[in-house]
Amino acid sequence: MRSSHSTARVSARFDDPNLVAYGGLAPVVRLAERCGLPRLAGQLIRLPKNRDGTGAFAAAKLMTLIAGMVAGADSIDDMDRLRHGAMGKLFGGVRAPSTLGSFLRSFTHGHVKQLHAVARRFLPELAAHTPLLLGIDTVAYVDLDDTIKRTYGYAKQGTGYGYNKVKGLNALLAVVSTPMAAPVIAASRLRKGATNSVRGAASFAAEAIRAARACGAGGLVVLRADSAFYAAEVIAACRSLGAKFSITVRMNASVKKAIATIDEDAWRPIKYPKAVWDQEEQCWISDAEIAEVTYTAFTSKPKKQQVTARLIVRRVKRLNPDAAPQGQGELFTLYRYHAAFTDSPLPLVEAEADHRRHAVVEQVIADVKGGPFAHAPSGDFQANAAWLALAACAFNLTRAAGTLAGTFHAKATTTTLRDHLINAPARLARSARKLTLHLPEHWPWKEAFDNLFAAVHAPPQAA
């Protein structure tokens, strides 16, 4: 590939009022409207009507913020990308970044909770209008995890040093997925950076499970989490809502004692389809053995809080037994053990494999932190909390649009969806009171774009 003309014969001008850089925003915004997002915002968000108008037109401001995030904005100033070329002809009610910043800073904790209520109701609407969560009526997985969003300086409220010794804010996420559908965000919370992972996790888990139920999860629901969420309160929340649990446990004395009782003949060899990186040994592993034993957890608590279930154990032979921690006993010198506490009804091999798929939440976290939540854009804590909730809505909306585009895009990352479907340049032409988007000829993902556009512009089906 090379330039087709000399430098003297090429020039650039920003002077076409009929061009838009994000032609794919048209069907995505239409999908959000069809699923009732502006209506939900108008009904549930009740900001005070100040003299400066900060609390007015909440639905229009919320839609502007989410549309900007879908287009790739990761800061308040980035929202100005929605005010170029013919965007004013394609969309109405687009607000300026300064207006959106004032809007976010007017949020209190109660208003953020109202925004969470919008997100909770929006997800089932997306699931009803698109094949977002195929198979959720049979099996659904709810995965919990938190992450630290690094911040710099001293201007942001709530920052602190978290579990990974990084200064920032703590974002707690719950995602829901099925064996046939990629994960979407069921709930989100922003917490102070120094917050313990398990704080508030029980009520958060209950909210996520209820969100999965609202999306149609009428069969098996399994909550998965790592050892940071191994707590009696979290398991009690699962059981109270009829959900199963699968949570990693730390190698404490009682767990080691239970593992030591497993008969050597009970271990079953398994081979992973893909190798797994082992952090302790700093190497890839692909062979392991698994077994299970009945285990009673939380024996230091009152009898009603104790839980008896399955302890599923995976062991991997140490490559260098001499480097094992001293005082562990011969059993733990030869092998490294990883255990999960679960009441899953699945057979041993399936239950162990299902638990390892908890890693899907890490993909969502990376996606969100690589997109709208690349920054905590405000110095105000509640503004950042609202920003995270809006980022979750934008993620789910983009994922829903991908499911309408086709099989490949149903599980593609947000970056891929944005490149293929959203960031399609278009020229607007008006004729006979109709608006036509002229997109590039030979666009590689034309068929996927056409699928999405046709789906959201078709007449809605009768209830």
Side-chain angles (χ1 to χ4, degrees):
M1 186 174 182
R2 61 183 179 82
S3 299
S4 60
H5 293 77
S6 65
T7 56
R9 294 178 178 271
V10 179
S11 61
R13 296 177 183 174
F14 291 88
D15 60 357
D16 195 324
N18 296 314
L19 290 179
V20 296
Y22 310 109
L25 269 183
V28 173
V29 171
R30 182 78 64 179
L31 176 60
E33 292 171 344
R34 177 166 288 195
C35 293
L37 183 55
R39 171 180 52 81
L40 290 171
Q43 290 175 350
L44 298 175
I45 298 179
R46 290 285 181 263
L47 290 168
K49 300 298 189 294
N50 300 327
R51 290 184 178 180
D52 57 4
T54 301
F57 306 106
K61 295 171 184 175
L62 181 142
M63 287 292 292
T64 301
L65 286 163
I66 290 179
M69 291 178 179
V70 171
D74 60 12
S75 68
I76 297 173
D77 286 343
D78 268 0
M79 293 295 164
D80 215 19
R81 67 181 60 201
L82 299 179
R83 300 199 299 165
H84 70 271
M87 292 291 280
K89 301 176 183 177
L90 190 58
F91 304 104
V94 177
R95 297 304 196 262
S98 58
T99 301
L100 299 175
S102 300
F103 173 68
L104 289 172
R105 288 189 294 272
S106 69
F107 273 67
T108 64
H109 175 71
H111 297 127
V112 174
K113 299 290 283 184
Q114 293 172 4
L115 191 53
H116 290 154
V118 171
R120 283 197 302 271
R121 289 160 176 78
F122 183 49
L123 182 58
E125 291 291 333
L126 287 173
H129 285 80
T130 69
L132 183 63
L133 288 169
L134 285 174
I136 195 171
D137 56 332
T138 304
V139 180
Y141 297 101
V142 177
D143 294 281
L144 303 185
D145 205 356
D146 63 342
T147 184
I148 301 296
K149 179 63 227 174
R150 184 189 289 272
T151 60
Y152 301 90
Y154 301 93
K156 294 187 187 296
Q157 296 176 353
T159 58
Y161 288 92
Y163 57 85
N164 58 356
K165 310 302 180 185
V166 171
K167 181 183 177 183
L169 297 168
N170 184 296
L172 180 61
L173 294 178
V175 304
V176 57
S177 61
T178 76
M180 295 186 290
V184 292
I185 299 174
S188 64
R189 290 289 182 278
L190 188 68
R191 306 183 294 182
K192 293 183 178 180
T195 301
N196 187 283
S197 293
V198 78
R199 182 178 180 183
S203 60
F204 185 75
E207 179 181 335
I209 293 170
R210 291 191 185 99
R213 297 289 191 197
C215 292
L220 176 65
V221 177
V222 181
L223 180 133
R224 302 181 295 198
D226 60 27
S227 58
F229 300 94
Y230 177 66
E233 296 79 10
V234 174
I235 292 177
C238 291
R239 292 192 154 184
S240 67
L241 294 171
K244 304 298 183 181
F245 61 87
S246 183
I247 304 177
T248 304
V249 297
R250 295 186 180 92
M251 287 291 111
N252 57 35
S254 62
V255 170
K256 290 180 179 178
K257 184 178 178 180
I259 292 174
T261 65
I262 300 176
D263 190 270
E264 189 63 27
D265 295 334
W267 293 97
R268 300 178 53 179
I270 59 171
K271 187 175 181 68
Y272 300 131
K274 297 181 180 179
V276 176
W277 176 254
D278 186 273
Q279 190 67 32
E280 183 178 341
E281 294 286 350
Q282 290 292 298
C283 66
W284 295 95
I285 59 173
S286 59
D287 294 282
E289 295 176 312
I290 57 174
E292 66 175 294
V293 64
T294 301
Y295 177 70
T296 300
F298 317 117
T299 52
S300 62
K301 294 182 177 293
K303 196 74 174 178
K304 63 180 180 179
Q305 292 183 297
Q306 297 177 19
V307 180
T308 300
R310 307 161 67 190
L311 190 68
I312 294 179
V313 186
R314 170 169 52 94
R315 73 179 186 180
V316 180
K317 186 168 289 187
R318 293 184 184 273
L319 298 180
N320 185 12
D322 294 336
Q326 299 299 314
Q328 298 292 316
E330 183 178 354
L331 190 67
F332 293 89
T333 301
L334 295 176
Y335 295 94
R336 287 172 291 104
Y337 293 85
H338 308 270
F341 189 53
T342 180
D343 63 348
S344 170
L346 298 175
L348 172 61
V349 175
E350 294 180 31
E352 193 274 339
D354 264 354
H355 179 75
R356 283 188 282 112
R357 294 190 190 103
H358 165 66
V360 297
V361 69
E362 299 288 351
Q363 299 170 5
V364 174
I365 289 174
D367 205 328
V368 173
K369 291 175 73 173
F373 203 55
H375 308 284
S378 177
D380 184 89
F381 180 83
Q382 299 303 340
N384 288 325
W387 184 270
L388 178 61
L390 292 168
C393 290
F395 177 90
N396 293 342
L397 178 60
T398 306
R399 173 71 66 202
T403 63
L404 294 176
T407 304
F408 170 79
H409 292 96
K411 294 188 176 182
T413 64
T414 300
T415 301
T416 299
L417 293 172
R418 189 179 300 123
D419 288 343
H420 292 187
L421 304 176
I422 309 301
N423 297 352
R427 178 175 59 84
L428 269 63
R430 185 183 295 274
S431 176
R433 297 184 180 181
K434 291 184 178 181
L435 198 64
T436 302
L437 291 174
H438 292 276
L439 294 110
E441 188 179 17
H442 305 305
W443 186 252
W445 307 282
K446 172 185 180 300
E447 183 178 352
F449 185 95
D450 287 343
N451 291 341
L452 169 60
F453 196 90
V456 300
H457 286 83
Q461 297 179 355

